[in-house]
Amino acid sequence: MNRPIHVALIGYGFAGRVFHAPIIQNVPGLRLVTVASSKPEKVKSDWPDLWVSESIEEVINHSELDLVVIATPNATHFDLARRALQAGKHVVVDKPFTILASEARALASLAAERGKVLSVYQNRRWDGDFLTLRKLVLQGVLGEVVYLESHFDRYRPEVQNRWRDQAGPGSGLWYDLGPHLADQALELFGMPQAVYADIAQQRYQAQAPDYFHVLLRYPRLRVVLHASALVPGGSPRFVVHGTEASFASRGLDGQEALLKQGLRPGQEGWSPALSEGWLYRPDQAAEPVPMEPGDYRRFYEGVRDAIRQEGPNPVPPEQAVRLMEVLEAAIESANEHREIPLGVNG
């Protein structure tokens, strides 16, 4: 493919506006051609040169488009991805991939049958703090990791009038932040033996889960995934203990904050703040850890290369399926108040 890959973005809410459009437009070899949105004036104010359509069907079936990116409410992901694959398009789906693991497996099969790239936007694999942690683990700096605590806490006491906070399939914090935290754990350690989850509504007038505390059990390792909307003072992002050292980090990758401000990668002023990290060794003072720079463009660079058959899919369907199996098992665990085995790792 000599020309740029022509991209259609479906959905221009928070995810489409902040995490997809500005990243796509700043990856060489990709060209955002159109956005399908029910609010075309909003798109035009940000991207006056784009073709904007209110018809998803028109966009999915357009012959000049190569890649369809789905950034719509979670409950619509399966149907839209299925329709785009059937129309012969490569597809990126914002997390969570689907609502059910069975839907994830069906899409993976369809993509393989049609010979199309299907990927899931797990952008927080390219957060600087996670890249730093991954480097420490792979280099063996911590020894054997026996405990990891991954927090994504916020203070949002008021329930917003948006679909993520309303009752319904795919809403709530576990489907919002859970895919990030669980995906990072699976990237580092693979599938756990079992999952135990506590998922709750804690805010006044909450209609969807706004708290989760999930334990992933491995043979020796224990991974805790935690998020809450009622944490005024914040908490460490990562706390990791190994047989030789511990690592802790605080603060979030600065890319999201700049994207919310309307800045785009490579523009003047694009300098994301780095998290702070420390390494703790026995009987030694804490050492500051140089943090890796994050870069969400690397996901779409990987998608570009996969479409061109020049590199691997950055988040292949089989990884997306296993993540959905963990997310689904956690919901089953919370509903039944018991540990759910996953039948792996012995």
Side-chain angles (χ1 to χ4, degrees):
M1 183 179 294
N2 293 321
R3 66 167 175 79
I5 295 167
H6 288 181
V7 183
L9 173 61
I10 299 179
Y12 201 70
F14 178 75
R17 177 177 57 84
V18 172
F19 286 111
H20 290 279
I23 303 297
I24 294 166
Q25 283 291 61
N26 283 276
V27 171
L30 297 183
R31 181 185 167 207
L32 183 59
V33 174
T34 184
V35 175
S37 173
S38 60
K39 299 178 180 178
E41 67 286 349
K42 188 176 179 182
V43 183
K44 280 295 186 182
S45 67
D46 293 338
W47 306 95
D49 296 331
L50 290 186
W51 160 43
V52 183
S53 175
E54 295 187 55
S55 169
I56 292 176
E57 202 66 33
E58 177 185 31
V59 167
I60 284 177
N61 290 293
H62 198 284
S63 62
E64 293 298 313
L65 297 172
D66 309 300
L67 169 65
V68 171
V69 176
I70 296 167
T72 53
N74 297 344
T76 67
H77 288 183
F78 171 69
D79 180 60
L80 292 177
R82 178 182 56 80
R83 288 159 59 186
L85 287 168
Q86 289 174 338
K89 303 297 189 290
H90 304 287
V91 176
V92 165
V93 185
D94 194 60
K95 61 78 198 168
F97 184 25
T98 54
I99 302 299
L100 303 174
S102 60
E103 296 173 334
R105 289 188 284 269
L107 290 179
S109 296
L110 180 59
E113 174 189 315
R114 297 300 173 100
K116 295 300 177 181
V117 172
L118 172 63
S119 196
V120 180
Y121 190 61
Q122 292 290 350
N123 61 303
R124 296 207 178 269
R125 292 189 186 186
W126 291 272
D127 272 351
D129 52 9
F130 179 70
L131 293 173
T132 302
L133 171 59
R134 187 172 185 271
K135 182 178 179 180
L136 293 174
V137 171
L138 291 176
Q139 291 181 345
V141 174
L142 306 177
E144 180 189 353
V145 176
V146 295
Y147 180 83
L148 181 146
E149 197 164 320
S150 178
H151 277 251
F152 209 124
D153 293 322
R154 297 164 166 167
Y155 185 59
R156 296 181 177 177
E158 301 298 327
V159 177
Q160 301 296 312
N161 184 22
R162 56 177 192 161
W163 66 264
R164 294 182 189 277
D165 289 327
Q166 306 303 311
S171 63
L173 210 57
W174 180 237
Y175 273 105
D176 185 17
L177 298 180
H180 288 313
L181 304 193
D183 179 72
Q184 290 176 336
L186 298 189
E187 265 289 280
L188 290 175
F189 307 117
M191 285 287 277
Q193 289 179 317
V195 177
Y196 185 84
D198 181 23
I199 302 174
Q201 298 177 17
Q202 293 189 324
R203 291 178 295 179
Y204 294 116
Q205 317 209 340
Q207 299 181 46
D210 53 16
Y211 164 94
F212 64 78
H213 189 88
V214 176
L215 174 66
L216 307 182
R217 181 171 61 79
Y218 296 80
R220 278 164 56 89
L221 167 70
R222 298 295 184 267
V223 174
V224 171
L225 312 177
H226 183 99
S228 170
L230 290 174
V231 184
S235 56
R237 175 67 181 88
F238 289 111
V239 175
V240 191
H241 302 304
T243 55
E244 297 181 20
S246 297
F247 170 74
S249 71
R250 183 174 284 274
L252 296 176
D253 185 289
Q255 294 177 87
E256 178 177 350
L258 295 182
L259 290 166
K260 284 180 178 177
Q261 295 172 26
L263 292 176
R264 300 169 189 174
Q267 277 188 335
E268 184 178 352
W270 182 264
S271 181
L274 299 178
S275 306
E276 297 179 347
W278 296 268
L279 190 68
Y280 301 87
R281 302 180 192 273
D283 303 319
Q284 296 183 31
E287 307 170 29
V289 176
M291 302 297 283
E292 297 289 314
D295 191 346
Y296 297 156
R297 291 174 294 184
R298 288 167 59 182
F299 169 81
Y300 273 112
E301 290 169 355
V303 170
R304 173 201 64 199
D305 294 346
I307 291 173
R308 291 176 169 174
Q309 299 184 340
E310 297 173 354
N313 186 336
V315 185
E318 57 268 23
Q319 293 181 6
V321 168
R322 73 180 187 179
L323 174 59
M324 291 310 307
E325 290 171 348
V326 170
L327 297 181
E328 195 171 76
I331 294 172
E332 183 181 357
S333 172
N335 289 339
E336 300 183 6
H337 307 290
R338 67 182 181 93
E339 182 180 84
I340 303 298
L342 290 172
V344 296
N345 294 334

